[in-house]
Amino acid sequence: MSNPQQLRYSKEHEWLSAAEDGVATVGITAFAANALGDVVYAQLPAVGDTVTAGETCGELESTKSVSDLYSPVTGEVVEANQDVVDDPSLVNSAPFEGGWLFKVRVSEEPEDLLSAAEYEQLTLSGN
Amino acid sequence: MSNAPRLTALDALHRSLGATMTDFAGWDMPLRYGSERDEHNAVRTKAGLFDLSHMGEITLTGPEAVKALDYALVGNISTVGVGRARYTHICREDGGILDDLIVYRLGETEYMVVANASNAQVVLDALTERAAGFDTEVRDDRDAYALIAVQGPESPAILASLTDADLDGLKYYAGLPGTVAGVPALIARTGYTGEDGFELFVSPAHAVELWQALSKAGEGRGLVPCGLSCRDTLRLEAGMPLYGHELTTSLTPFDAGLGRVVKFEKEGDFVGRAALEAAAERSASNPPRKLVGLVAEGRRVPRAGFPVVAGGQVVGEVTSGAPSPTLGKPIAMAYVDAAHAEPGASGVGVDIRGTHEPYEVVALPFYKRQK
């Protein structure tokens, strides 16, 4: 699956939308969803939580393993995707759309977020 | 010696099917082709095709092959008829389980032992050593066979379209030589999924041809290629032990709730007899932890090694856990103190990364197919 051009990406395989009115959407990439396998449980940050770029803010559980969810930015969570909590398989079936994870009011962005092309280089090189 | 993973005869085919591969016991094996949940459900409702070529085959032939096996293993192999198979264990002198095995009697004086991939060398070495005093030849047949399994309710129909072998006459835990899709095969009605199904031992040179014939025969019957990931959830639902999880060298068959596989009544000595007699007595007077099923009330998944807790105390340990596609809830097998092992025992939970998650204690298996 191709990585949407308008998004930016972290090395931990999250994507981040451009902020609208200061609020950006976060999800994990198709590459990450495929590596996890079928996601069966998603623990997302709660509304009002402060998340910090590069730090864990939840977990995604698949058949084989549990993986920490990292935030690609720093800010306050303004919405968690209840659809994903109810049906975690959305992360696999629509990672860039209905399977988004949370929305965050961005207070600080790291400088090392990747473009779609840079992220593709990262995943092609086997990381 | 190279540390590169070993490849099965079907390796290129798996890659062409887009399999996600994983290292398993030194082999590069398919983990899944698409969604492991879909593969699991296909085996439960239609059929699945597995490459199990990593399993270890060891053949014993000769007039005293059966005596050697009766000495080396805890089962009574002399009661296995030609064309039948038996589940058994090979134990150490101290009673610890070295591996769980299936022994097929292929002829009057010919037996094939199938060991887990991770233990194949250990079992080969033990059998070679233990058979030394008997008139038998122990042959390493790991490179002689590829193993393809077709499992699920549609598997008899799929296989029947490719063979003249009498599948109706082939009972569960039986195996006989035949021809499938023109390929010579040992056709066994065994498996590890809780479903009806077959395991086909063939020359690696014929593996691709057989896989393709089965795939074609399964078109329209819902057959899909399946990886090791769904094999694990299928066997877990069926309550089948996995070596390294429910079975280890630190447990005897009695500790694992499988004391019935130990046949003290057989003639002659066998490796581990004295220790196992003591283990049998011990387990009768002072029951060990019991292997039970746990069904989650919530959605968090227990993993091997997580503590089972009750009343703030650790009362057991999870040996295998996964989300169950059939039940729609996380399930686990766990060894639990007898006081908390009864189905319906109250207050039992699993400590999942610091949180006590409630679990229901149930009898195994979680899933039993309708016959």
Side-chain angles (χ1 to χ4, degrees), chain A residues 34 38 59 62-63 85, chain B residues 32 36-37 299 303 353:
Chain A
N34 185 51
D38 293 330
E59 60 186 40
S62 66
T63 303
V85 173
Chain B
R32 54 191 156 82
E36 60 243 333
R37 191 190 294 118
R299 291 166 67 168
R303 307 287 178 186
R353 294 180 291 283

Side-chain angles (χ1 to χ4, degrees), chain B residues 346-359:
Chain B
S346 64
V348 174
V350 177
D351 184 337
I352 297 187
R353 294 180 291 283
T355 310
H356 175 122
E357 295 282 333
Y359 274 75

Side-chain angles (χ1 to χ4, degrees), chain A residues 33-41 43 59 61-66 84-89 92, chain B residues 20 31-32 34-38 228-229 232-233 299-303 306 321-323 352-353 357:
Chain A
N34 185 51
L36 282 174
D38 293 330
V39 177
V40 295
Y41 172 79
Q43 186 191 51
E59 60 186 40
E61 187 126 33
S62 66
T63 303
K64 274 291 157 201
S65 64
V66 59
V84 161
V85 173
D86 294 339
D87 178 9
S89 72
N92 297 105
Chain B
T20 300
L31 183 65
R32 54 191 156 82
S35 154
E36 60 243 333
R37 191 190 294 118
D38 292 349
L228 294 183
S229 183
D232 192 44
T233 50
R299 291 166 67 168
R300 301 180 84 190
V301 183
R303 307 287 178 186
F306 285 14
I352 297 187
R353 294 180 291 283
E357 295 282 333

Side-chain angles (χ1 to χ4, degrees), chain B residues 11-142:
Chain B
D11 188 74
L13 213 156
H14 298 317
R15 289 169 201 280
S16 75
L17 291 169
T20 300
M21 306 296 285
T22 188
D23 177 78
F24 187 87
W27 291 80
D28 211 13
M29 300 298 293
L31 183 65
R32 54 191 156 82
Y33 300 82
S35 154
E36 60 243 333
R37 191 190 294 118
D38 292 349
E39 292 170 21
H40 180 111
N41 291 333
V43 174
R44 286 271 178 266
T45 59
K46 304 284 188 189
L49 192 57
F50 295 84
D51 178 10
L52 305 176
S53 300
H54 60 317
M55 302 291 285
E57 298 85 5
I58 302 152
T59 305
L60 278 79
T61 55
E64 291 192 322
V66 68
K67 280 192 173 175
L69 288 168
D70 271 342
Y71 171 69
L73 313 177
V74 301
N76 192 354
I77 308 306
S78 48
T79 61
V80 179
V82 173
R84 300 308 303 265
R86 180 72 50 83
Y87 175 81
T88 188
H89 290 172
I90 181 168
C91 290
R92 300 193 304 200
E93 201 64 67
D94 70 359
I97 303 165
L98 272 181
D99 200 10
D100 64 334
L101 309 166
I102 295 180
V103 180
Y104 296 87
R105 187 174 182 189
L106 303 182
E108 282 301 324
T109 59
E110 183 178 4
Y111 294 81
M112 181 174 74
V113 176
V114 180
N116 283 296
S118 54
N119 293 328
Q121 188 64 47
V122 167
V123 173
L124 175 66
D125 292 345
L127 285 179
T128 303
E129 191 190 318
R130 294 175 188 190
F134 298 91
D135 186 2
T136 179
E137 184 204 344
V138 179
R139 192 169 71 225
D140 178 3
D141 268 348
R142 285 176 292 180

